[in-house]
Amino acid sequence: MKLIIDTDPGIDDAMAIAYAAAAPELELVGLTTVFGNTHTHQSSRNARYLLHRLGLSVPVAQGARAAWGKAEHNPSSHVHGPEGFGDLVEIPDIGENHATPAAEFLVQMAQEHRDELVICAVGPLTNIADALGLDPEFASNLGRLVIMGGAVFVPGNVSAHAEANIHNDPRAAQAVFQNPPKTVLVGLDATMKTLYQSSDFEALAQHSPDMGGFLRDISEFYLRFYKEVVGVDGCGLHDSTAVIACSHTHMFDLVETGLSVVTDGDRVGATLPDASNPPVQVCRDVDGPAVVELFTRHVASLP
Ligand code: RIB
Ligand code: CA
């Protein structure tokens, strides 16, 4: 399966990209970047740095800098650190972005690879909504869209109602759910059941001193946030769980429903079942230990 990750790296994004590099059933053919955990130029620099460390030479196409209707974005540096990688603040700027902007790149890749291509969107859905707007055939060309976002049957993480990726661009998310490609939504319903603890990072680093050690080091900041603010011992494997859902659908309990996003007011960013929108597959449960084991097994095989 050919895979593009649309991403805002970000600590759990870095874990997901490492997983995609290690998993034999996935062929990473590009990254597209978006604002969210960081500003977009930081996401792109971090994406290029990760690819360099992983020894992969695939394009990084830079995408949207702000949500639909907004001029700028305020990054989640209290969760992911000032540069997106926790306490690590000097991140080498290696290589260059692809000449084509993210939404156009996604459109072109869907035209070229059609059913074979899966896009896993693990940041705000702005680039995906832009691609849908650029090409009326984008949704039907694409094999599948797997989204890390939303909290359909459980509380949110940035408010009682909303999950961060959807909250960061609710209008773009609503546009995607009104005209979805074949879509699987992996929200907090699943990802808060895939907690990764400090001891898991230590074990990973022992087997994979370079990449596992890097992930352990940048995750200290993230684990502190989870402990002090969320009150949980371990961090959600949010973005990795979505990447795993691209190939291991049997680990997920899926329910089919249309979705709508609240775009204004107190409940902004909430993802609600809505039968008037086309159906998507929503994960309402997951075999958490199986996801954690698969993540560790593959990433531990990296140098
Ligand atoms: O709510 C979790 C999501 O928000 C993840 O994609 C994480 O990287 C943050 O962006
Ligand atoms: Ca992310």
Side-chain angles (χ1 to χ4, degrees):
M1 171 189 309
K2 294 188 190 300
L3 176 71
I4 295 176
I5 305 181
D6 183 66
T7 176
D8 57 338
I11 293 163
D12 64 315
D13 301 71
M15 297 168 79
I17 292 165
Y19 175 84
E25 62 276 12
L26 301 176
E27 182 194 351
L28 191 65
V29 293
L31 298 176
T32 50
T33 60
V34 68
F35 66 91
N37 297 324
T38 55
H39 290 295
T40 309
H41 68 276
Q42 296 169 306
S43 297
S44 303
R45 176 204 56 198
N46 292 356
R48 285 186 270 105
Y49 178 64
L50 287 168
L51 291 174
H52 169 76
R53 279 194 79 132
L54 289 162
L56 292 178
S57 175
V58 299
V60 173
Q62 179 160 285
R65 291 167 195 273
W68 278 13
K70 297 226 168 136
E72 53 186 46
H73 172 70
N74 195 9
S76 316
S77 43
H78 60 299
V79 186
H80 291 266
E83 299 292 334
F85 284 164
D87 295 313
L88 181 68
V89 289
E90 292 193 8
I91 301 154
D93 192 352
I94 295 171
E96 292 191 352
N97 295 330
H98 195 57
T100 312
E104 263 174 79
F105 178 77
L106 293 174
V107 163
Q108 287 171 8
M109 292 295 272
Q111 282 167 352
E112 188 177 329
H113 299 295
R114 303 182 79 88
D115 284 354
E116 261 193 283
L117 181 67
V118 175
I119 296 175
C120 187
V122 298
L125 291 173
T126 322
N127 292 334
I128 309 300
D130 286 345
L132 286 165
L134 279 179
D135 179 5
E137 315 256 294
F138 176 66
S140 56
N141 283 342
L142 188 62
R144 202 151 29 108
L145 172 66
V146 179
I147 297 170
M148 191 286 127
V152 182
F153 306 109
V154 298
N157 59 1
V158 289
S159 75
H161 311 288
E163 180 280 331
N165 288 340
I166 303 296
H167 189 262
N168 274 332
D169 196 343
R171 288 176 54 196
Q174 174 68 337
V176 172
F177 293 129
Q178 283 170 338
N179 178 25
K182 207 169 153 198
T183 295
V184 178
L185 185 88
V186 182
L188 300 180
D189 307 74
T191 67
M192 286 307 288
K193 292 176 181 155
T194 61
L195 285 190
Y196 214 66
Q197 299 185 304
S198 174
S199 53
D200 296 313
F201 282 106
E202 286 303 334
L204 193 65
Q206 276 205 347
H207 288 99
S208 165
D210 186 56
M211 186 47 58
F214 172 76
L215 295 176
R216 176 201 54 199
D217 294 348
I218 64 172
S219 295
E220 282 177 19
F221 189 101
Y222 202 42
L223 288 169
R224 272 202 306 275
F225 170 81
Y226 268 85
K227 192 164 215 160
E228 289 166 13
V229 181
V230 187
V232 172
D233 188 13
C235 59
L237 283 182
H238 301 293
D239 295 350
S240 300
T241 305
V243 172
I244 286 170
C246 296
S247 54
H248 288 67
T249 335
H250 60 276
M251 291 182 179
F252 296 80
D253 175 22
L254 300 170
V255 59
E256 197 168 85
T257 177
L259 287 177
S260 250
V261 177
V262 178
T263 53
D264 286 302
D266 288 353
R267 293 166 66 91
V268 66
T271 37
L272 308 172
D274 178 354
S276 67
N277 274 340
V280 299
Q281 304 276 329
V282 174
C283 294
R284 62 179 170 191
D285 204 357
V286 64
D287 184 345
V291 167
V292 167
E293 188 280 325
L294 184 67
F295 174 85
T296 301
R297 178 152 42 92
H298 283 329
V299 179
S301 72
L302 292 170

